[in-house]
């Protein structure tokens, strides 16, 4: 019995170590105007100026602006064409708990990160992302994707009409949402 308990404790410790090895918290740059930042631990106070956007399993989504239409006991949520969506989940693993920003989608040209927005040129994206320590990849397979950049487990995708920033979240316990 004692051997089983020690084995369980060892396996639990290994799981925590392996999760923490994967966790990378990208420092927030000075040259962004986003309300939240990727891998940021989020409190309810951080969300007070954002609107909840329902429909996500395994986490929550918040947006900077949302149109809510109510009619005859029915409610519709409409995203404007230009928006910022923040996805909040556990991090670095879905079993880790907590509330962290694990994905950001930007379609509003007024929002920027590393001084880049959806109207930035390919050359500016390559230069700025490389300067900030990201590996940059040219795209040849997805027509709407311009460039991709990554650093550890954080990825940036620069499309013609949006930027997505995401942190890889593991699912070591195979949680089904």
């Amino acid at each position: 019995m004692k051997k089983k308990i020690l084995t369980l404790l060892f396996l639990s410790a290994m799981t925590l170590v392996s999760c923490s090895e994967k966790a990378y918290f990208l420092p927030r740059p000075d040259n962004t105007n986003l309300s939240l930042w990727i891998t940021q631990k989020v409190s309810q106070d951080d969300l007070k100026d954002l609107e909840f956007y329902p429909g996500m399993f395994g986490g929550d989504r918040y947006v900077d602006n949302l149109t809510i239409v109510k009619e005859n006991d029915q409610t519709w949520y409409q995203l404007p064409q230009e928006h910022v969506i923040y996805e909040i989940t556990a991090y670095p693993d879905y079993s880790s708990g907590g509330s962290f920003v694990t994905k950001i989608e930007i379609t509003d040209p007024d929002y920027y990160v590393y001084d880049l927005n959806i109207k930035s040129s390919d050359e500016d994206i390559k230069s700025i992302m490389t300067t900030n320590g990201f590996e940059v990849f040219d795209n040849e397979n997805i027509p709407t994707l311009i460039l991709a950049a990554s650093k550890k487990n954080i990825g940036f995708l620069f499309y013609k009409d949006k930027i997505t920033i995401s942190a890889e979240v593991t699912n070591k316990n195979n949680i089904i949402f």
Side-chain angles (χ1 to χ4, degrees), residues 43-49:
S43 69
Q44 286 302 313
D45 194 47
D46 295 323
L47 303 171
K48 69 180 181 209
D49 295 329

Side-chain angles (χ1 to χ4, degrees), residues 16 31 35 48 79 84 106 146 164:
L16 289 174
N31 46 357
S35 299
K48 69 180 181 209
L79 280 175
V84 177
I106 306 165
I146 298 171
T164 62

Side-chain angles (χ1 to χ4, degrees), residues 14-176:
M14 290 306 295
T15 301
L16 289 174
V17 168
S18 64
C19 285
S20 64
E21 287 175 353
K22 194 79 168 156
Y24 175 66
F25 295 87
L26 185 65
R28 181 186 179 96
D30 293 332
N31 46 357
T32 185
N33 63 346
L34 293 170
S35 299
L36 303 175
W37 183 241
I38 196 73
T39 66
Q40 173 185 334
K41 184 171 179 63
V42 179
S43 69
Q44 286 302 313
D45 194 47
D46 295 323
L47 303 171
K48 69 180 181 209
D49 295 329
L50 301 173
E51 297 178 57
F52 178 72
Y53 182 39
M56 181 179 173
F57 292 106
D60 293 320
R61 291 184 297 183
Y62 289 86
V63 296
D64 57 347
N65 51 356
L66 182 66
T67 303
I68 301 173
V69 180
K70 293 185 178 194
E71 183 180 307
N72 300 331
D73 296 333
Q74 296 289 327
T75 303
W76 292 276
Y77 299 88
Q78 297 174 316
L79 280 175
Q81 185 174 351
E82 295 178 352
H83 60 267
V84 177
I85 299 174
Y86 303 96
E87 290 187 5
I88 314 294
T89 68
Y91 180 76
D93 188 83
Y94 287 118
S95 64
S96 299
S99 297
F100 295 85
V101 179
T102 53
K103 185 174 181 183
I104 302 171
E105 177 183 284
I106 306 165
T107 64
D108 188 333
D110 292 336
Y111 286 85
Y112 54 90
V113 58
Y114 295 112
D115 286 330
L116 299 169
N117 68 13
I118 62 171
K119 297 186 183 290
S120 295
S121 70
D122 298 11
E123 295 79 27
D124 285 343
I125 294 168
K126 284 181 186 178
S127 173
I128 289 172
M129 295 308 285
T130 302
T131 299
N132 284 287
F134 286 84
E135 188 174 354
V136 179
F137 306 92
D138 287 317
N139 175 60
E140 298 173 0
N141 299 323
I142 304 171
T144 58
L145 182 64
I146 298 171
L147 290 168
S150 68
K151 182 190 286 190
K152 298 194 179 185
N153 68 322
I154 308 295
F156 282 68
L157 298 175
F158 294 90
Y159 295 90
K160 293 177 181 172
D161 59 352
K162 72 179 174 181
I163 299 170
T164 62
I165 309 165
S166 58
E168 179 185 348
V169 181
T170 58
N171 191 2
K172 294 183 183 204
N173 292 329
N174 297 316
I175 297 171
I176 299 171

